[in-house]
Amino acid sequence: MLDEYSILSRAKSIGVSAEVLSLESKGYSVYVEKGQKSGSQVIDRGYAIRVVKDGRVGMAYSTVLDEKVLDYA
């Protein structure tokens, strides 16, 4: 998996301006049923890529950061 800086470097190498926005959200759920307690932790991640080329703006969103998301934007 790539990181945000790799995506920005690739964008620069193909001649587009780019911006990577990342979000991570953590939550914890607790359940009680018939006196039994259980819980789970949930981690959500997402990445938005915005590119500008020739005055036009493109945007893509993904939960996995890979080179394809730059192509979609």
Side-chain angles (χ1 to χ4, degrees):
M1 186 166 85
L2 299 175
D3 64 5
E4 292 90 338
Y5 298 106
S6 299
I7 293 294
L8 292 173
S9 292
R10 181 166 178 263
K12 185 177 181 180
S13 74
I14 61 174
V16 298
S17 298
E19 181 177 42
V20 178
L21 306 167
S22 61
L23 174 68
E24 180 176 288
S25 168
K26 295 180 182 181
Y28 193 79
S29 297
V30 177
Y31 306 96
V32 178
E33 186 176 331
K34 297 181 183 179
Q36 296 292 327
K37 298 176 189 175
S38 63
S40 62
Q41 184 176 10
V42 177
I43 299 174
D44 292 318
R45 288 186 184 98
Y47 304 93
I49 311 295
R50 182 172 33 207
V51 298
V52 179
K53 183 175 181 179
D54 300 327
R56 298 177 70 189
V57 178
M59 194 160 198
Y61 177 83
S62 178
T63 56
V64 177
L65 192 60
D66 63 16
E67 289 190 18
K68 290 180 184 178
V69 74
L70 187 56
D71 295 334
Y72 293 133

